Amino acid sequence: EEHAKQVVGAFGLLDRALEQAEWEFVTEKRGVSVSYCAFEGDSVSTFKGEGIIAVEPKKVLELLIDEKRRGEWDVFFQDGGLIKRISETEGLVYYQTKAQGWTVWPRDFVMAISAKILDSPISGYQEAKFVGVSVDLPEKPAVSSHVRGTVNLGGYYLTPVQEGDNIYTKVVYFMNIDAAGWIPHSVADMANTYQPLSIIGMRKALTGTTAHPQ
């Protein structure tokens, strides 16, 4: 019940981010752009990644929901997986990040994930909204080897786009994460940049190449 409320809240944050027009550009790599926005009242900034993957949205969503494949595309992923599947599009997951150098302890997160499948303007193809949000689970308490972080929003909006005869996916990713504990600015900046660029990793996992589709 509490988890369901948090998921609803995360979809609200995803919609807020989608409606926000003004973003500060950070970087661009292989056709994936990264920007950020400091929303009023938020303790941390929201970062956005945007890019095209040359498969239809259904395939991208399948990759996102399959926690066993996360290591194929997420450079920070160390270990984790599904704790409990609630339905085909909902579950509870656990995720550990790699340590960053000597000084920064690895993080871990316990999240509820959920997807909404929606009709799209392109006939025969659907779009999807996908969110992950931190939840408390008694069976997954914090452990001394990791700092427990808080994901306020890990959200994706997947829409079909037509390029010639092909249907590709426009991926818009948003993250609002409190990593907790002490992190040097340089490492925080790297994480905030590289996590949105994981769209490139997803592209490689799904198409075999990191290149922006021509």
Side-chain angles (χ1 to χ4, degrees):
E1 182 62 32
E2 186 58 36
H3 299 163
K5 271 192 212 156
Q6 286 168 279
V7 165
V8 168
F11 276 117
L13 290 180
L14 176 60
D15 288 337
R16 176 186 73 165
L18 286 166
E19 287 162 13
Q20 174 67 19
E22 299 291 316
W23 293 81
E24 291 283 332
F25 177 80
V26 177
T27 191
E28 189 268 347
K29 186 177 179 184
R30 293 194 170 267
V32 175
S33 65
V34 179
S35 53
Y36 78 94
C37 177
F39 287 96
E40 200 173 322
D42 285 8
S43 58
V44 290
S45 291
T46 298
F47 282 77
K48 174 168 81 163
E50 243 177 309
I52 302 286
I53 299 178
V55 295
E56 59 185 81
K58 182 171 178 283
K59 298 272 190 210
V60 181
L61 184 62
E62 284 169 1
L63 180 68
L64 285 173
I65 287 175
D66 188 353
E67 282 295 314
K68 292 193 296 291
R69 295 189 66 190
R70 188 164 190 126
E72 291 179 36
W73 56 269
D74 184 344
V75 294
F76 294 103
F77 180 82
Q78 178 72 41
D79 196 13
L82 188 71
I83 300 167
K84 181 184 176 187
R85 185 166 296 295
I86 296 165
S87 73
E88 271 194 26
T89 55
E90 297 169 292
L92 298 168
V93 298
Y94 178 67
Y95 170 76
Q96 289 180 346
T97 69
K98 293 172 181 160
Q100 302 296 322
W102 292 101
T103 54
V104 181
W105 283 47
R107 265 53 186 170
D108 71 351
F109 304 91
V110 177
M111 291 183 288
I113 59 170
S114 180
K116 285 181 184 176
I117 314 297
L118 310 156
D119 286 331
S120 85
I122 298 180
S123 178
Y125 293 89
Q126 292 173 305
E127 59 185 43
K129 290 178 177 177
F130 177 86
V131 298
V133 60
S134 281
V135 293
D136 287 322
L137 277 188
E139 63 267 39
K140 274 287 179 189
V143 288
S144 59
S145 57
H146 288 71
V147 177
R148 179 64 50 92
T150 302
V151 176
N152 300 309
L153 173 65
Y156 292 84
Y157 183 41
L158 313 173
T159 53
V161 291
Q162 190 147 8
E163 301 207 2
D165 294 334
N166 301 306
I167 298 291
Y168 294 160
T169 303
K170 180 183 180 186
V171 180
V172 186
Y173 166 69
F174 299 101
M175 57 175 257
N176 182 293
I177 297 174
D178 181 354
W182 178 81
I183 298 185
H185 283 301
S186 59
V187 174
D189 289 348
M190 183 194 75
N192 288 333
T193 302
Y194 274 83
Q195 195 68 49
L197 288 173
S198 63
I199 293 170
I200 299 169
M202 293 165 69
R203 188 189 278 159
K204 177 88 187 290
L206 288 164
T207 68
T209 176
T210 60
H212 180 62
Q214 298 303 318

